[in-house]
């Protein structure tokens, strides 16, 4: 098996920030900050259109041949804060990518179009235009073609099968997941960087396309701020980063550009706007940041599950989204989650023999996750991006009672599904919960679990919002095409433009909106 | 005398201590142990005994500690500078007298019996103050993640490790 790396690191279109020793001034048509879903798509489309594009990425450039399926390597190299980013009160663990490819290098390849219900809600409540399902369909189709998104044909791994079996037994709706892969070897290590280049992350697709079109990629380059003059964005200031990508040097690279596109992700982009003190008369920047809070339910099965192998997510259920109107209880999507030793060891938050008991049963352990649809109800307002003392960003996200109730519902639903699928024991991942032997025992106990952070384990791999789109400048930071309402030549094209959470795994939505808005951008 | 529990509940000392009030103390500036970049001697003795208790039931032995502590340190060095400072503050909770008092202990934690460490961990795991529960999460995560990142631990949990890819 050999894979031809589509990026030539020796090309003069690939710049390593660490090698820049003197301040630099450059000029491009477009500078794109961030190389994940949104940034890579914007760079590809604009370079296709013949513009001179510079992509600035704070993380490292790691190639397919460097992906070794080792958590010890992948988390510090490819994730924000070594996969240990936490919300301000430490209640939610946030997983985000930090490398050329952003989240797409390490995500689980689960691909969904934006749900009609979310699009309609944005049009109706948030005054977004041009995004009815009919208007979006050609963009989804184009993204699916470019990213190799197609239905997964191989059998599901046992981790997913358990979810599917439980759903069938209970008569709950389920579907199979499309994935952005070509010649996938079904290894199950998508979260550590696909070692065979099967996953169509932007690292092996859109970024090389953009470079072939003439774009320049700079890695180890953090955007510190945007320079504006009289309400017009003129340039960005980048800092070269050290080898760990944690500490900026004093070397600054100033890039003047006709258009500046922020795509640093839904924590990174609002942070750049805040650091740059960009006009924000309605105090919207960084507010209403959503995370699809995720709670987890572990099951001990009698047969081996081996949740480390095979395509990570191939079966899902939207039953609890479809049966719950936005005005009612918070809805949630159910999926399986791949489990590797470090992730398992750290999410279970135990010590001593209890911890060891779970670890020793690792091969039999199955996990169902519920992703809650935050942002569609007055009692779910999301979190707020803020700047820490050194200017780096944080997220302050308080889980409201309305959301907590949904978390309890989700533990209940997951446990019932896992027992229906034949689980011997089920354990909602909560410090005060036990391994329950029957559904009735689980139900009674889950109903008594205290709804508190740092007791319930809550995680997120989907950060969205904080620079919402709206035609009404009182509701959104950017317009429906991603243009900043108060600063000319400044655009946002990543997960931060959504007025609520997407209510499904967001990659395809981010790619599709970036495609649409980059095509519409007038230079 | 004010009962320890009352202090836990009012949380003033606990929050002040962990929230950075002591961040300029000399302990923060202590020189790392010559073989380490982050931990000094006292940190190492504390993390050593905590690790043995957190990993009870595994095959961890005293002689495995230097390698494990190095791995824990490497994990800390992969965190942003401000988060590294928080880890320093976490260490202070266990080192400084007010923190030890809050956790009901006079003598250094590095000299504690495994039973005492286990009791303290159970106390902070379910504590009424989230800040202590956060300390529990941080300790357990640093230790267990570092231990299970090492392929030597995989056999004991039935993880075959990644497949070898042919070239
Ligand atoms: C483990 C994991 C699994 C996931 N699985 C799925 C899945 O299966 N399906 C799905 O749909 N979604 C999944 N997601 C989510 C999805 O990958 C992200 O939502 C999506 O990639 C976000 O796109 P983005 O463009 O907003 O930002 P990102 O992809 O996060 O890209 C932003 C980039 O900007 C860089 N950056 C940040 N600040 C700066 C700065 N100041 N200067 C320069 N660069 C900066 C970052 O390093 C990063 O590389 C997963 C995420 C994770 C972490
Ligand atoms: S499952 Fe497929 S896409 Fe994921 S890492 Fe394995 S080969 Fe790559």
């Amino acid at each position: 098996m050999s894979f031809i790396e589509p990026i030539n690191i020796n090309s003069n279109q690939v710049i390593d920030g660490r090698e820049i020793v003197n301040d630099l001034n450059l000029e491009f048509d477009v500078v794109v900050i961030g190389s994940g879903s949104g940034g890579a798509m914007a760079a590809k489309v604009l370079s296709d259109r013949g513009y001179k594009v510079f992509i600035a990425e704070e993380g490292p450039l790691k190639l397919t041949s460097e992906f070794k399926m080792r958590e010890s390597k992948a988390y510090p190299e490819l994730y924000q804060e070594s996969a240990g980013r936490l919300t301000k009160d430490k209640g939610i663990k946030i997983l985000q990518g930090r490398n050329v490819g952003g989240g797409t290098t390490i995500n689980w390849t689960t691909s969904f179009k934006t749900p009609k219900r979310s699009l309609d809600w944005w049009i109706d409540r948030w005054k977004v235009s041009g995004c009815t399902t009919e208007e979006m369909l050609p963009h989804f189709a184009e993204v699916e073609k470019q990213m190799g998104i197609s239905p997964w044909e191989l059998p599901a791994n046992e981790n997913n099968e358990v979810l599917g079996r439980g759903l069938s037994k209970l008569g709950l709706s389920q579907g199979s997941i499309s994935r952005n892969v070509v010649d996938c070897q079904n290894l199950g290590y998508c979260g550590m960087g696909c070692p065979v280049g099967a996953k169509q992350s932007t690292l092996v697709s859109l970024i090389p396309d953009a470079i072939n079109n003439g774009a320049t990629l700079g890695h180890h380059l953090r955007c510190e701020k945007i320079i504006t003059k009289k309400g017009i964005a003129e340039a960005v200031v980048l800092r070269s980063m050290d080898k760990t990508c944690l500490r900026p040097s004093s070397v600054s690279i100033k890039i003047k550009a006709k258009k500046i596109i922020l795509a640093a992700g839904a924590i990174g982009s609002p942070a750049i706007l805040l650091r740059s003190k960009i006009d924000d008369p309605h105090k919207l920047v960084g507010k209403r940041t959503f995370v699809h809070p995720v709670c987890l339910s572990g099951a001990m099965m009698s047969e081996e599950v081996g949740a480390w192998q095979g395509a990570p997510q191939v079966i899902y259920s939207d039953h609890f989204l479809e049966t719950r109107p936005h005005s009612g209880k918070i809805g949630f999507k159910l999926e399986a989650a791949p489990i590797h030793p470090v992730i398992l060891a750290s999410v279970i938050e135990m010590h001593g023999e209890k911890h060891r008991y779970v670890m020793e049963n690792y091969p039999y352990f199955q996990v169902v996750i519920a992703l809650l649809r935050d942002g569609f109800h007055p009692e779910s307002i999301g979190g707020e991006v803020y700047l820490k003392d050194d200017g780096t960003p944080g997220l302050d996200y308080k889980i409201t009672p309305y959301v907590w109730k949904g978390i309890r519902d989700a533990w209940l639903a997951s446990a019932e599904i896992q027992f229906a699928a034949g689980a011997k024991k089920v354990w909602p991942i909560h410090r005060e919960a036990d391994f329950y032997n029957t559904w009735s025992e689980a139900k009674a106990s889950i109903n008594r679990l205290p709804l508190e952070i740092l007791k319930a384990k809550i995680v997120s791999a989907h950060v969205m919002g904080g620079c919402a789109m709206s035609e009404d400048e009182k509701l959104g930071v950017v317009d429906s095409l991603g243009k900043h309402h108060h600063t000319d030549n400044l655009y946002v094209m990543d997960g931060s433009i959504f007025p609520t959470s997407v209510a499904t795994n967001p990659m395809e939505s981010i790619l599709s909106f970036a495609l649409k808005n980059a095509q519409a951008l007038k230079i | 005398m004010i009962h320890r529990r009352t202090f836990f509940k009012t949380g003033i000392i606990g929050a002040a201590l962990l929230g950075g009030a002591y961040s300029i103390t000399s302990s923060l500036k202590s020189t790392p142990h010559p073989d380490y970049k982050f931990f000094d001697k006292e940190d190492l003795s504390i993390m050593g005994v905590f690790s043995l208790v957190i990993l009870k039931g595994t095959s961890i032995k005293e002689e495995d500690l230097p390698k494990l502590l190095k791995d824990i340190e490497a994990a800390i060095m992969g965190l942003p500078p401000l988060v590294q400072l928080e880890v320093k503050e976490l260490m202070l909770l266990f080192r400084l007298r007010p923190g030890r008092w809050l956790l009901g202990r006079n003598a250094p934690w590095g000299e504690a019996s495994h039973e005492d460490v286990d009791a303290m961990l159970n106390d902070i795991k379910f504590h009424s103050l989230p800040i202590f529960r956060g300390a529990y999460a941080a300790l357990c995560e640093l230790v267990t993640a570092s231990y299970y990142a090492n392929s030597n631990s995989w056999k004991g949990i039935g993880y075959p490790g990644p497949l070898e890819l042919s070239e």
Side-chain angles (χ1 to χ4, degrees):
Chain A
M1 226 180 306
S2 77
F3 174 76
I4 299 163
E5 302 283 359
I7 297 182
N8 172 9
I9 53 167
N10 299 317
S11 144
N12 56 11
Q13 285 167 260
V14 178
I15 295 176
D16 183 337
R18 290 169 297 181
E19 289 168 7
I20 305 175
V21 286
N22 294 315
D23 288 358
L24 265 182
N25 283 300
L26 301 171
E27 211 170 319
F28 280 80
D29 292 328
V30 181
V31 58
V32 178
I33 308 300
S35 61
S37 309
M41 181 56 90
K44 148 91 165 92
V45 170
L46 292 162
S47 58
D48 263 344
R49 289 174 55 197
Y51 296 110
K52 229 178 120 199
V53 176
F54 189 96
I55 308 159
E57 166 58 54
E58 79 169 319
L61 168 62
K62 293 285 173 190
L63 301 179
T64 295
S65 57
E66 297 177 83
F67 298 147
K68 300 292 182 203
M69 302 184 274
R70 291 283 191 286
E71 290 174 284
S72 55
K73 244 176 91 60
Y75 302 148
E77 287 181 356
L78 305 175
Y79 284 66
Q80 286 291 0
E81 307 192 19
S82 289
R85 185 169 256 185
L86 294 170
T87 48
K88 192 173 187 182
D89 61 13
K90 315 222 181 309
I92 307 178
K93 170 171 273 202
I94 307 277
L95 298 175
Q96 281 182 300
R98 188 218 52 195
N99 61 79
V100 172
T104 70
T105 307
I106 45 139
N107 79 16
W108 298 343
T109 71
T110 296
S111 305
F112 286 103
K113 296 178 183 60
T114 321
K116 179 174 177 350
R117 272 223 292 201
S118 300
L119 293 171
D120 291 347
W121 186 259
W122 298 340
I123 293 165
D124 197 41
R125 303 296 173 105
W126 293 94
K127 312 290 170 234
V128 183
S129 63
C131 67
T132 60
T133 298
E134 295 65 40
E135 285 165 312
M136 289 305 294
L137 277 176
H139 304 294
F140 295 142
E142 178 64 28
V143 163
E144 286 167 9
K145 197 171 104 202
Q146 287 190 26
M147 306 296 289
I149 295 174
S150 56
W152 179 242
E153 309 285 356
L154 293 181
N157 68 5
E158 183 60 15
N159 197 36
N160 279 271
E161 273 299 335
V162 169
L163 172 62
R165 264 201 322 269
L167 290 164
S168 304
K169 285 257 170 66
L170 298 177
L172 302 174
S173 69
Q174 61 178 285
S176 54
I177 292 177
S178 289
R179 306 181 60 221
N180 60 320
V181 294
V182 175
D183 295 334
C184 168
Q185 308 292 310
N186 211 8
L187 298 169
Y189 287 80
C190 310
M192 293 166 223
C194 176
V196 295
K199 172 164 63 174
Q200 298 302 292
S201 61
T202 63
L203 172 71
V204 301
S205 57
L206 304 177
I207 296 280
D209 289 349
I211 294 174
N212 286 337
N213 289 339
T216 302
L217 166 70
H219 57 93
H220 283 87
L221 285 177
R222 176 185 283 171
C223 173
E224 187 177 272
K225 61 178 180 195
I226 303 159
I227 299 177
T228 56
K229 204 160 150 193
K230 295 191 180 134
I232 300 171
E234 292 195 323
V236 293
V237 176
L238 311 175
R239 296 262 172 217
S240 70
M241 303 300 288
D242 70 354
K243 133 170 150 249
T244 62
C245 296
L246 294 171
R247 288 180 182 79
S249 76
S250 56
V251 177
S252 90
I253 298 98
K254 187 171 160 189
I255 304 187
K256 226 177 136 202
K258 296 188 187 112
K259 301 286 167 188
I260 292 166
I261 298 178
L262 294 186
I267 293 182
S269 290
I272 294 169
L273 293 176
L274 292 171
R275 277 201 295 270
S276 316
K277 302 196 169 57
I278 297 292
D279 249 5
D280 181 22
H282 306 289
K283 297 280 163 272
L284 299 172
V285 171
K287 308 261 171 62
R288 292 186 59 82
T289 298
F290 300 102
V291 300
H292 286 156
V294 169
C295 61
L296 308 92
S297 183
M300 216 62 97
M301 307 303 294
S302 33
E303 304 291 323
E304 188 165 312
V305 176
W308 57 83
Q309 61 201 339
Q313 300 187 307
V314 296
I315 293 176
Y316 74 98
S317 175
D318 278 349
H319 172 85
F320 296 94
L321 285 171
E322 283 159 2
T323 54
R324 294 180 167 207
H326 289 152
S327 56
K329 292 180 183 174
I330 192 165
F332 50 89
K333 190 176 193 93
L334 293 172
E335 294 173 350
I339 323 169
H340 292 92
V342 172
I343 282 282
L344 178 61
S346 46
V347 298
I348 60 182
E349 285 180 9
M350 294 175 171
H351 72 275
E353 273 155 357
K354 284 193 174 154
H355 190 273
R356 187 60 180 174
Y357 168 76
V358 179
M359 295 309 292
E360 278 177 348
N361 283 286
Y362 172 41
Y364 300 90
F365 204 65
Q366 192 273 343
V367 171
V368 169
I369 56 172
L371 298 82
L372 279 81
R373 170 187 70 193
D374 52 347
F376 291 86
H377 188 279
E379 291 166 49
S380 171
I381 54 164
E384 180 172 352
V385 173
Y386 67 98
L387 297 178
K388 299 183 184 175
D389 291 347
D390 64 355
T392 57
L395 175 64
D396 187 4
Y397 189 110
K398 304 231 164 36
I399 303 174
T400 57
Y402 168 79
V403 175
W404 274 123
K405 277 191 206 128
I407 289 173
R408 195 191 301 282
D409 291 349
W411 283 323
L412 287 166
S414 308
E416 188 174 15
I417 289 165
Q418 288 165 312
F419 277 117
K424 279 199 306 189
K425 294 169 193 281
V426 172
W427 171 49
I429 302 194
H430 186 296
R431 290 187 194 175
E432 293 187 16
D434 277 319
F435 278 94
Y436 305 119
N437 293 309
T438 61
W439 162 229
S440 62
E441 185 194 358
K443 189 171 168 186
S445 305
I446 290 171
N447 277 318
R448 289 194 299 268
L449 286 176
L451 300 172
E452 289 176 63
I453 57 162
L454 296 162
K455 286 190 177 171
K457 186 72 192 176
I458 308 295
V459 298
S460 162
H462 300 165
V463 193
M464 299 150 289
C467 301
M469 297 178 279
S470 174
E471 289 305 301
D472 180 348
E473 58 156 73
K474 290 196 210 61
L475 294 177
V477 174
V478 297
D479 68 16
S480 307
L481 296 175
K483 186 195 162 298
H484 196 276
H485 276 301
H486 309 285
T487 302
D488 281 345
N489 295 344
L490 179 60
Y491 294 76
V492 184
M493 297 194 188
D494 61 11
S496 57
I497 60 168
F498 300 120
T500 61
S501 69
V502 178
T504 193
N505 309 53
M507 171 181 62
E508 189 174 341
S509 299
I510 300 170
L511 288 162
S512 304
F513 274 84
L515 172 74
K516 168 175 96 62
N517 291 352
Q519 281 175 344
L521 190 144
K522 293 197 183 65
I523 300 198
Chain B
M1 200 188 113
I2 303 173
H3 193 265
R4 274 197 304 125
R5 278 277 157 206
T6 325
F7 257 95
F8 277 142
K9 288 231 169 66
T10 56
I12 296 160
I13 289 194
L17 179 66
L18 285 165
Y22 280 80
S23 52
I24 329 268
T25 64
S26 56
S27 321
L28 264 184
K29 293 188 218 123
S30 67
T31 335
H33 182 283
D35 297 337
Y36 290 81
K37 296 194 192 90
F38 185 86
F39 290 139
D40 67 12
K41 203 162 149 250
E42 192 175 350
D43 294 333
L44 288 169
S45 65
I46 295 173
M47 285 307 285
V49 62
F50 286 8
S51 297
L52 291 175
V53 175
I54 290 171
L55 294 172
K56 183 156 183 234
T58 68
S59 60
I60 184 100
K61 290 184 281 304
E62 289 264 355
E63 55 264 35
D64 303 325
L65 283 179
K67 160 90 178 99
L68 177 72
L69 291 166
K70 282 252 172 204
D71 290 347
I72 295 175
E73 187 179 69
I76 296 170
M77 301 306 280
L79 299 170
L82 284 183
V83 184
Q84 290 188 24
L85 204 64
E86 285 186 43
V87 181
K88 270 275 172 219
E89 287 175 358
L90 173 70
M91 296 311 302
L92 287 186
L93 169 71
F94 299 105
R95 292 175 60 144
L96 297 179
R97 205 180 288 266
R100 288 211 308 271
W101 181 73
L102 281 170
L103 298 170
R105 186 176 176 83
N106 277 324
W109 276 109
E111 294 163 13
S113 69
H114 288 196
E115 291 70 32
D116 284 354
V117 172
D118 184 55
M120 178 275 290
L121 288 173
N122 279 321
D123 198 4
I124 62 173
K125 179 177 180 184
F126 300 110
H127 205 280
S128 56
L129 284 176
I131 208 145
F132 283 94
R133 301 202 300 274
Y136 179 80
L139 281 178
C140 291
E141 176 162 357
L142 281 172
V143 173
T144 60
S146 303
Y147 180 77
Y148 288 104
N150 187 330
S151 55
N152 292 334
S153 70
W154 296 346
K155 213 167 145 229
I157 55 170
Y159 173 54
L163 289 175
E164 287 296 326
L165 294 178
S166 51
E167 286 303 316

